[in-house]
Amino acid sequence: MSTPLEQQTDEREALQSIYEGDENFKEVDKITYQYKYGEENNHKSFMVELKWGENYPDDPPTINMNTFYNSHILPAVKEEIQAALNTEATQWLGCGMTYTLFEYLKDNIDQLTANQPESAPIQAVVDEGVHALKISDPDPDTKKKEPKKEQLTKAQKRRQWDKTEHKGERARGHDWVDIVKHLSQTGSKEDAAAMATDDTLLALHPLNT
């Protein structure tokens, strides 16, 4: 009677011959084998990994469904596939069963993946920062207060216009009356009269005409 090690050697050679050229089959090492089901990028596609122990095939192989390739498979679907393989394996103890288990999945793949969605569920991702966004007015204290311009009355505007002789420039001696009036209030009458006389002579000087 063959030992488990001899049976493994025979089965390994048989697997290499049967799956030669099959891209879905992969021999990871002498005791680990993988088979991929379904097309690439298909949401129902998955991979099964079987690993032989020292006493395989007297003991069932270790079934691994937690490979990176299966990251999209629902946990419940993984458990269902694994349970089905374990049940099938118990019927073939003592015999090379890797090929049998791989083929069993091919025949029952639709039933075993019935609860796996056809496509990935769409999740709405909401940026919390958007809700926190608030457009507010600047701090009133930071606003520069522009000085209010003095509003002139119509009479004040008219007097200012007359003083410039309608040319935008004020006429010579336009403020004499104001100066004389000011001096008459704060100084003597002689100072005011002298100031008025000096300004009059200056205006009548030939060089200033």
Side-chain angles (χ1 to χ4, degrees):
M1 184 176 181
S2 301
T3 64
L5 183 58
E6 292 174 340
Q7 287 181 292
Q8 289 179 20
T9 300
D10 293 341
E11 185 174 2
R12 184 180 306 110
E13 293 176 354
L15 291 173
Q16 291 171 349
S17 176
I18 293 171
Y19 291 115
E20 183 179 3
D22 189 339
E23 296 181 354
N24 293 323
F25 174 80
K26 182 179 181 180
E27 181 179 351
V28 179
D29 52 42
K30 290 184 177 181
I31 60 172
T32 308
Y33 301 89
Q34 295 176 341
Y35 201 89
K36 183 175 64 177
Y37 298 86
E39 298 180 0
E40 195 80 21
N41 299 324
N42 187 310
H43 202 60
K44 286 196 170 187
S45 177
F46 65 92
M47 176 185 291
V48 170
E49 181 179 275
L50 303 179
K51 186 173 184 178
W52 301 344
E54 292 182 1
N55 295 322
Y56 174 85
D58 293 339
D59 293 337
T62 299
I63 302 168
N64 181 19
M65 287 292 297
N66 294 321
T67 59
F68 178 77
Y69 187 86
N70 293 338
S71 59
H72 63 286
I73 300 295
L74 297 179
V77 175
K78 292 181 183 179
E79 292 175 3
E80 185 175 359
I81 294 173
Q82 190 163 348
L85 286 176
N86 280 325
T87 300
E88 186 70 13
T90 58
Q91 303 179 33
W92 300 95
L93 293 178
C95 303
M97 65 182 80
T98 300
Y99 170 79
T100 302
L101 295 179
F102 284 161
E103 293 301 309
Y104 167 82
L105 287 180
K106 286 183 181 180
D107 296 337
N108 296 276
I109 189 169
D110 291 338
Q111 177 184 346
L112 294 174
T113 60
N115 294 325
Q116 176 68 17
E118 294 284 350
S119 58
I122 300 175
Q123 297 180 352
V125 179
V126 179
D127 186 356
E128 295 181 358
V130 174
H131 296 291
L133 180 63
K134 180 180 179 181
I135 300 176
S136 58
D137 293 332
D139 188 345
D141 295 336
T142 62
K143 292 183 177 179
K144 294 183 178 180
K145 296 182 178 180
E146 297 183 359
K148 294 183 178 180
K149 295 182 179 180
E150 183 181 357
Q151 298 296 326
L152 301 178
T153 64
K154 290 184 177 180
Q156 290 174 324
K157 292 179 181 179
R158 183 65 182 177
R159 286 197 298 270
Q160 198 173 54
W161 176 250
D162 291 339
K163 288 179 181 180
T164 62
E165 295 182 346
H166 313 293
K167 298 179 181 179
E169 297 179 357
R170 293 184 177 184
R172 182 182 299 276
H174 68 87
D175 55 351
W176 291 348
V177 176
D178 294 335
I179 294 174
V180 173
K181 182 179 180 182
H182 175 72
L183 290 175
S184 65
Q185 294 175 351
T186 59
S188 64
K189 294 182 178 180
E190 290 78 6
D191 293 336
M195 183 64 180
T197 302
D198 292 341
D199 287 341
T200 302
L201 293 175
L202 181 62
L204 296 175
H205 195 279
L207 295 178
N208 292 328
T209 57

